[in-house]
Amino acid sequence: DKAKKLAPQFVDSRLGDGLWLYWRSLIAMNIPGFSAFADQRKEGIKLMQQAERESVFLRPASSHALTYTWIEERKMLKAESTALRLHRAYPNNLINLQLLGRIYLYRGNYPQSERTFKKVLAIDGKNERVHFYLSRLYLRWRKVSLAQNHIDKYLTFELSDVHKGYAHYYQGHIYSRQKKWEEAKNAYQLAWRYAKVKGSKEKIKIME
């Protein structure tokens, strides 16, 4: 508010306002215990779009923020076109590449998703997170052994409990696909132990 009062024409600040309105609305809608907050997602998106069009310094950052927003809104064509525009301007940006790979994955373009994730590894061979995404890609693509290789690789890194939990959850899916029921059950138990991943307890009950 102070920045807007001092420089009302400085559009860059609209990005922060847009992010605040959109994500606070989303959190209040989906997480119990948060105070009531009017749904202002549309207003937040409009502010981020204004920043994308008119800001002085933060146009690329606004586009990147909008890419996440379009994914959340299930508008995958908009997400893809925005991420591709950023990719043309910043071809080696690892964060955008991983996001673009995820968009291709969600849209079912598995070969392009694979190429994008492998470009991440070509730029940064020590990247941890891309192994998680590759595992999810190969699981959907029914290349189960490759999914197993990448989730095992991902779990060799020093991860937070949340990341461990979700890794074990998808590891459970992989074992289930291989009909390794005991290993799958153990993986889901770890998912619950580390991060109380939604769905893991139900999976455990099915296998008991």
Side-chain angles (χ1 to χ4, degrees):
D1 289 342
K2 186 174 181 181
K4 284 185 284 187
K5 184 177 179 180
L6 291 170
Q9 302 306 314
F10 189 62
V11 179
D12 296 54
S13 65
R14 305 294 192 277
L15 173 58
D17 289 336
L19 285 165
W20 168 251
L21 291 177
Y22 182 84
W23 291 101
R24 191 174 192 272
S25 297
L26 200 68
I27 290 168
M29 289 166 59
N30 289 284
I31 299 182
F34 275 73
S35 59
F37 187 75
D39 183 1
Q40 293 182 282
R41 288 175 296 166
K42 288 183 179 179
E43 293 89 334
I45 289 171
K46 286 180 181 178
L47 288 170
M48 286 187 273
Q49 287 177 312
Q50 184 186 10
E52 185 182 39
R53 290 192 308 269
E54 303 172 23
S55 63
V56 179
F57 301 110
L58 295 180
R59 290 187 188 187
S62 301
S63 295
H64 191 62
L66 279 165
T67 306
Y68 282 100
T69 303
W70 298 138
I71 291 173
E72 192 65 39
E73 291 290 303
R74 305 294 189 269
K75 296 182 178 178
M76 293 301 168
L77 281 174
K78 283 189 174 182
E80 183 178 329
S81 64
T82 306
L84 280 172
R85 187 169 67 250
L86 284 169
H87 178 58
R88 286 190 287 270
Y90 307 97
N92 293 327
N93 185 284
L94 294 173
I95 296 173
N96 188 61
L97 278 171
Q98 291 192 85
L99 193 55
L100 185 57
R102 287 170 58 196
I103 294 165
Y104 287 134
L105 168 61
Y106 301 149
R107 297 201 64 215
N109 189 345
Y110 300 149
Q112 189 61 45
S113 179
E114 181 184 47
R115 284 191 287 271
T116 305
F117 288 139
K118 285 190 172 180
K119 185 173 181 182
V120 172
L121 284 174
I123 296 169
D124 177 17
K126 295 181 180 180
N127 190 288
E128 300 176 8
R129 190 66 176 165
V130 73
H131 291 287
F132 177 76
Y133 295 132
L134 278 164
S135 181
R136 292 188 62 185
L137 163 65
Y138 289 129
L139 183 61
R140 285 201 187 188
W141 206 354
R142 298 187 178 279
K143 298 186 176 185
V144 182
S145 61
L146 288 172
Q148 181 79 64
N149 292 342
H150 283 284
I151 206 66
D152 288 347
K153 175 70 174 176
Y154 183 61
L155 282 165
T156 64
F157 295 107
E158 189 172 333
L159 306 172
S160 69
D161 283 353
V162 170
H163 286 161
K164 281 182 187 176
Y166 279 94
H168 284 297
Y169 183 70
Y170 285 103
Q171 188 183 48
H173 291 358
I174 293 165
Y175 283 133
S176 294
R177 193 72 62 80
Q178 297 170 319
K179 302 187 186 304
K180 296 179 178 179
W181 308 119
E182 193 61 34
E183 290 90 336
K185 181 181 174 182
N186 291 338
Y188 289 130
Q189 287 173 334
L190 289 170
W192 181 255
R193 183 192 307 169
Y194 280 116
K196 291 182 169 54
V197 178
K198 185 178 179 180
S200 52
K201 286 194 85 171
E202 291 76 6
K203 296 287 187 183
I204 294 166
K205 286 179 181 178
I206 291 170
M207 295 177 179
E208 286 179 341

